[in-house]
Amino acid sequence: MCRRGRGVGEYGATKSWPKEELYGLTSQVRRAASSVPANIAEGYGREVRGSYQQFLRIAQGSLKELETQLLIAERTGIAPNGTAASLLASTESVGKLLRLLIRKLSAD
């Protein structure tokens, strides 16, 4: 997940958002999007299963935060039509992968 650069889509998508949102919703979306892979990498780097699982859960929280912000952007008209939907589909996919990984680590 980290190597594929999931957060890059959000950065590109937010470039067209209104400039007055740069320090508001745009910044929040970018921070949440970059937080997901950062937490996955940090947990993996700890080399302790329990820590890794905890950081994966933190990544899930950041992902839910991102989804909420994208929904707000869509509903307020900040995100162009279809942009939020595409990004939300990606977050759903990443969320499924995170849940599967957490379950796998818990089962072993």
Side-chain angles (χ1 to χ4, degrees):
M1 270 184 278
C2 296
R3 292 183 185 189
R4 293 180 65 178
R6 293 281 185 182
V8 175
E10 286 79 3
Y11 272 81
T14 58
K15 282 185 177 185
S16 66
W17 290 12
K19 295 297 179 207
E20 61 268 13
E21 283 298 326
L22 185 59
Y23 299 105
L25 197 55
T26 302
S27 177
Q28 289 176 324
V29 165
R30 290 176 177 181
R31 273 196 310 267
S34 63
S35 180
V36 174
N39 277 297
I40 294 168
E42 184 174 353
Y44 183 78
R46 301 268 174 127
E47 297 183 358
V48 175
R49 181 178 296 198
S51 290
Y52 188 30
Q53 289 172 300
Q54 181 60 27
F55 276 91
L56 290 173
R57 289 184 187 100
I58 293 168
Q60 280 183 311
S62 295
L63 193 63
K64 290 300 179 185
E65 181 182 349
L66 175 59
E67 289 172 355
T68 301
Q69 293 160 348
L70 291 170
L71 288 169
I72 292 168
E74 181 179 53
R75 291 176 184 168
T76 58
I78 292 171
N81 290 341
T83 300
S86 173
L87 294 173
L88 285 166
S90 292
T91 62
E92 184 177 338
S93 175
V94 171
K96 286 178 184 177
L97 292 172
L98 281 171
R99 286 189 299 278
L100 287 171
L101 183 54
I102 290 168
R103 279 190 212 128
K104 176 65 176 160
L105 291 170
S106 296
D108 288 346

